[in-house]
Amino acid sequence: MKKIIYILFMIVSFNGFSQLGLEVGFSSSKAKVSGGNVSVSTDALSGLGVGLVAGIPVSDRFKLETGLSFAFAKVDGESSTSWGIPLTAKIYTNPENGFHLRAGVGYSATTEDVDTSIVKKGAFLGGFGLGYDINEKFSVVAEYSTQLSNSAGSSLDGIKIKSSGFGVSLQYFF
């Protein structure tokens, strides 16, 4: 974790063109447990998220975004938190109108104490979505994400646990 944050800090620090900001959002997700011929989905779980975001312009039509986010949700009446590090490519078809397509990958992990023989603490995700730059300071984002790695622990041989979700957020850049 410390190495990942350090590398992220170095990338943003040495890029004089980076734009730093804050992000706040809402998300809803479901988990799917499957094995053999059986598949069970959970009820939707909703939560709030906050984070730091760094925008790195590559060209007028292509930008990268990374950051550090924290999510908060209620699971069976208990508070649950997680953190994540995304890397998103923003592709503008017309940079003047502010609309862009988004696609990226990320890593997310729970801060909860879990039995890692049943479920892993972290997972890799992939996602895509749309965004709109309201002005130079504010952006609105809507994204769908799905888990790329299996969250089933070592004692659950032949079982797959994956989640997917949808989220919307508002970004403010300094």
Side-chain angles (χ1 to χ4, degrees):
M1 168 70 178
K2 289 180 184 178
K3 289 180 182 177
I4 293 172
I5 292 174
Y6 179 72
I7 291 169
L8 193 64
F9 175 76
M10 297 302 284
I11 289 170
V12 172
S13 295
F14 290 121
N15 183 347
F17 301 106
S18 295
Q19 189 176 17
L20 299 177
L22 299 173
E23 181 173 37
V24 62
F26 171 81
S27 64
S28 181
S29 63
K30 283 183 153 188
K32 182 178 178 182
V33 181
S34 58
N37 295 330
V38 179
S39 179
V40 178
S41 293
T42 66
D43 291 334
L45 174 69
S46 299
L48 298 174
V50 296
L52 300 172
V53 63
I56 304 166
V58 177
S59 72
D60 286 346
R61 295 185 181 271
F62 184 75
K63 297 179 182 177
L64 293 175
E65 241 176 43
T66 188
L68 179 61
S69 61
F70 296 92
F72 309 93
K74 288 272 189 186
V75 179
D76 297 328
E78 300 284 325
S79 293
S80 177
T81 58
S82 61
W83 60 270
I85 298 177
L87 178 60
T88 303
K90 296 168 55 174
I91 302 162
Y92 293 82
T93 55
N94 180 358
E96 287 77 37
N97 70 15
F99 284 102
H100 57 272
L101 302 174
R102 303 171 61 85
V105 295
Y107 180 80
S108 180
T110 182
T111 61
E112 308 303 316
D113 186 24
V114 296
D115 183 351
T116 55
S117 67
I118 297 173
V119 65
K120 297 175 184 171
K121 286 187 78 94
F124 288 97
L125 307 163
F128 62 92
L130 299 171
Y132 176 66
D133 297 340
I134 298 167
N135 56 36
E136 288 185 16
K137 299 278 188 192
F138 288 97
S139 292
V140 178
V141 175
E143 293 180 315
Y144 172 81
S145 64
T146 188
Q147 192 170 324
L148 301 174
S149 60
N150 185 6
S151 287
S154 58
S155 68
L156 298 179
D157 194 31
I159 303 291
K160 289 184 181 178
I161 302 173
K162 293 191 175 188
S163 66
S164 59
F166 176 79
V168 294
S169 60
L170 177 66
Q171 297 175 327
Y172 173 77
F173 292 96
F174 304 109

